[in-house]
Amino acid sequence: MGGKCPHRNVKKRRYSHKTARRTKFELKGDDMVYAQLNKPDEEKTPLPVDEDLPGMGQYYCLHCDRYFSNVTVRDEHFKTKRHKKRVKQMMGPAPHTQLDADLAAGMGMPDNGPKLMSM
Amino acid sequence: MRLEKCWFCSSTVYPGHGIQFVRNDAKIFRFCRSKCHKNFKMKRNPRKVKWTKAYRRVHGKDMTQDSTFEFERKRNRPERYDRNLAESVLKAIPKIDKIRVTREERHHKNRMKGNKEKLLKEAVKELEQGISLVKAPSVLQQDPSLTLPKIKVKVSQQQSEETPAMEE
C-alpha cells in the first residue's frame, strides 16, 4: 500500500494532510487487482506506452499497482517485504464484494429468472 | 423500491440514509453510515473487522446455512402485481421471521454450550492460584478453616466472606 500514515507519537511528522496520503487513495482497489491477476493469459495485453508514467509505463507491478523506471528498480521492489505481503494476500481468498455483503446479510443468491433466449 | 445492503457491514440501507460511491469502473459501493464509509476509505477488510456481518459469518458466530435465507434475495425480473399473492406474502413474512428468530436463538444457544462450565473452571483455578493475594499462606496454615472448600459450587460464597477479613 502506498502513502504515509499519520503517526501520533512523532509530533514533527504528522501526515494528516491529504496530500501526504494521496497515493494511498489513488491505488487500485483489491478486487480490481485480484481480477487483473486472475485473468486468463489470452486476455492479457502488453503494457501501453505512456510518457507520463515512470519508465514509459513499461515496468509495472500488478500486485502493488506501481510503475517503476527500469527493470532493476522493479526487481528490487519484488524483493521487498511489502510486495511479498501483497502477493501472499492476493493468493488468498477473493476480496470482499457486494455479493458477499448481501449473503452475509441473510439474502439468497440473486434470482435472474429463467433464460428468455435459448442459445 | 429496493432496500440495498451496506457494502461494509451488510445492514440495510434505507432511503435517505448513507452514501453511495461509484468507482471509475462503474462499480457501486453503498454505505449505511459514515462509519462504514470511513472504514472503506481506510481500505479495511470487512472480514477482519469484528462488528461486521461478514466477520460473524466467516467465524461461525451467526447462522450461515438456513432455508429461511432463501426468501429475501435480489430478483432481477419484474413480477406482475397479483393481489392474492401480495396478501399471502404479507401473511407469510411474520411467520418466516419468527422461524428465523427461533433458529438463530437455537444456534446461539448451541454455540454458547459449555461456556458456563469453562468459566466456572477458570474462576476456580484463579481463586486457587490467587488466594495468597487475599490471605497470607502462613495465616491459612494456622487456621485451616480458612482454606478453600473442595466443593466447586460454594466457591463464590467463600470469596465474599474472605474479603472483609482482609480489611481488618
Side-chain angles (χ1 to χ4, degrees):
Chain A
M1 288 292 159
K4 291 162 176 172
C5 264
H7 198 270
R8 291 288 138 193
N9 293 340
V10 188
K11 284 226 164 144
K12 272 186 186 171
R13 283 181 277 122
R14 280 190 181 169
Y15 301 112
S16 51
H17 205 270
K18 217 174 180 181
T19 47
R21 291 176 285 136
R22 176 136 291 151
T23 46
K24 196 167 190 172
F25 313 137
E26 287 170 351
L27 272 184
K28 261 188 196 170
D30 279 359
D31 52 329
M32 282 162 105
V33 173
Y34 191 83
Q36 276 285 329
L37 284 168
N38 290 29
K39 247 194 215 170
D41 281 332
E42 307 91 65
E43 282 179 37
K44 280 177 186 163
T45 48
L47 293 161
V49 176
D50 187 348
E51 57 187 15
D52 289 334
L53 291 169
M56 306 291 270
Q58 294 304 293
Y59 310 103
Y60 182 57
C61 173
L62 259 177
H63 296 86
C64 308
D65 185 32
R66 270 179 77 178
Y67 290 94
F68 298 94
S69 55
N70 54 49
V71 190
T72 48
V73 179
R74 193 189 61 185
D75 288 349
E76 266 313 290
H77 163 75
F78 284 160
K79 284 180 203 159
T80 59
K81 196 174 176 181
R82 186 190 270 172
H83 174 79
K84 282 174 187 165
K85 217 174 178 178
R86 187 96 179 124
V87 170
K88 202 177 166 190
Q89 192 194 337
M90 284 298 144
M91 296 281 271
H96 186 78
T97 58
Q98 184 64 50
L99 180 65
D100 292 336
D102 287 350
L103 292 180
M107 281 167 85
M109 288 296 277
D111 174 17
N112 294 325
K115 275 220 169 103
L116 297 175
M117 297 261 281
S118 54
M119 294 300 231
Chain B
M1 188 185 62
R2 215 166 231 182
L3 294 177
E4 303 279 356
K5 301 289 181 202
C6 173
W7 184 87
F8 199 81
C9 73
S10 310
S11 64
T12 315
V13 186
Y14 288 95
H17 289 253
I19 200 166
Q20 179 172 290
F21 167 57
V22 184
R23 205 165 58 184
N24 61 4
D25 65 341
K27 278 233 171 68
I28 295 171
F29 300 86
R30 288 185 183 82
F31 304 101
C32 62
R33 47 190 158 161
S34 61
K35 181 185 181 182
C36 294
H37 188 213
K38 280 173 191 164
N39 273 282
F40 172 77
K41 285 193 285 192
M42 284 191 270
K43 294 187 184 288
R44 285 205 180 135
N45 186 356
R47 284 181 199 146
K48 291 188 177 175
V49 180
K50 288 198 172 176
W51 50 269
T52 64
K53 275 277 172 194
Y55 175 92
R56 297 188 64 80
R57 264 309 157 84
V58 170
H59 293 82
K61 308 283 181 197
D62 281 344
M63 196 165 58
T64 43
Q65 300 225 317
D66 200 74
S67 53
T68 51
F69 293 149
E70 295 302 306
F71 294 102
E72 189 188 355
R73 50 164 62 172
K74 198 182 245 177
R75 277 166 233 273
N76 291 326
R77 59 173 161 173
E79 189 83 43
R80 183 162 291 189
Y81 178 71
D82 181 358
R83 195 187 160 102
N84 294 331
L85 183 73
E87 257 175 28
S88 55
V89 164
L90 283 178
K91 260 185 210 164
I93 286 172
K95 276 183 196 169
I96 292 162
D97 202 47
K98 210 174 162 188
I99 292 169
R100 211 195 63 236
V101 168
T102 50
R103 281 182 186 174
E104 266 168 6
E105 270 171 11
R106 201 196 301 151
H107 180 267
H108 182 257
K109 217 175 168 185
N110 275 339
R111 192 159 72 81
M112 293 298 162
K113 211 190 268 173
N115 256 14
K116 211 175 171 185
E117 291 157 31
K118 205 182 123 201
L119 280 175
L120 200 70
K121 222 185 230 173
E122 278 169 6
V124 166
K125 199 179 172 193
E126 197 189 345
L127 195 66
E128 274 171 4
Q129 284 175 349
I131 191 69
S132 60
L133 300 172
V134 185
K135 207 81 189 170
S138 58
V139 179
L140 279 176
Q141 274 177 353
Q142 280 166 18
D143 193 356
S145 67
L146 289 170
T147 47
L148 287 169
K150 292 292 168 203
I151 311 145
K152 278 179 184 176
V153 187
K154 284 194 176 177
V155 161
S156 56
Q157 222 178 0
Q158 184 71 21
Q159 197 180 26
S160 59
E161 276 172 21
E162 275 174 18
T163 32
M166 189 183 63
E167 287 165 11
E168 283 171 17

